[in-house]
Amino acid sequence: MRTAQHQVVRDRLKRLKDAHPQVTVVEDVRSAHPVDALVAASRQADLLVVGSQGRGALGSALLGSVSRSVLHHASCPVAVVRS
């Protein structure tokens, strides 16, 4: 199962790397709570990009719990992008 998950990540990253060769992308797959893993990764990053899946009128105005926690605890700038 993990091998398949890692392959999905590799495939998606390859497309992004090919489309944006000037951007350095680091593949780092961890088994941890998302907030803990992202905050730890932020200690070595220049920018952390997280998604937000706002649902409906109210949901689009609010951030999810992971995005909100990462914004408050990250060691680098955080960009929240809507999917």
Side-chain angles (χ1 to χ4, degrees):
M1 180 70 126
R2 288 200 193 278
T3 302
Q5 291 171 333
H6 288 244
Q7 189 59 49
V8 169
V9 171
R10 273 190 222 90
D11 292 345
R12 289 185 182 176
L13 285 177
K14 183 179 181 336
R15 284 181 284 185
L16 292 171
K17 288 177 184 178
D18 291 346
H20 306 282
Q22 72 280 13
V23 176
T24 302
V25 178
V26 177
E27 179 184 339
D28 185 1
V29 180
R30 299 177 187 209
S31 295
H33 187 278
V35 174
D36 296 337
L38 290 166
V39 169
S42 77
R43 294 184 192 111
Q44 299 175 342
D46 295 322
L47 173 68
L48 191 64
V49 181
V50 296
S52 175
Q53 299 180 10
R55 290 173 167 64
L58 179 61
S60 65
L62 303 173
L63 291 176
S65 59
V66 171
S67 298
R68 185 175 315 126
S69 294
V70 170
L71 277 170
H72 289 289
H73 300 289
S75 299
C76 69
V78 178
V80 180
V81 294
R82 290 189 51 181
S83 56

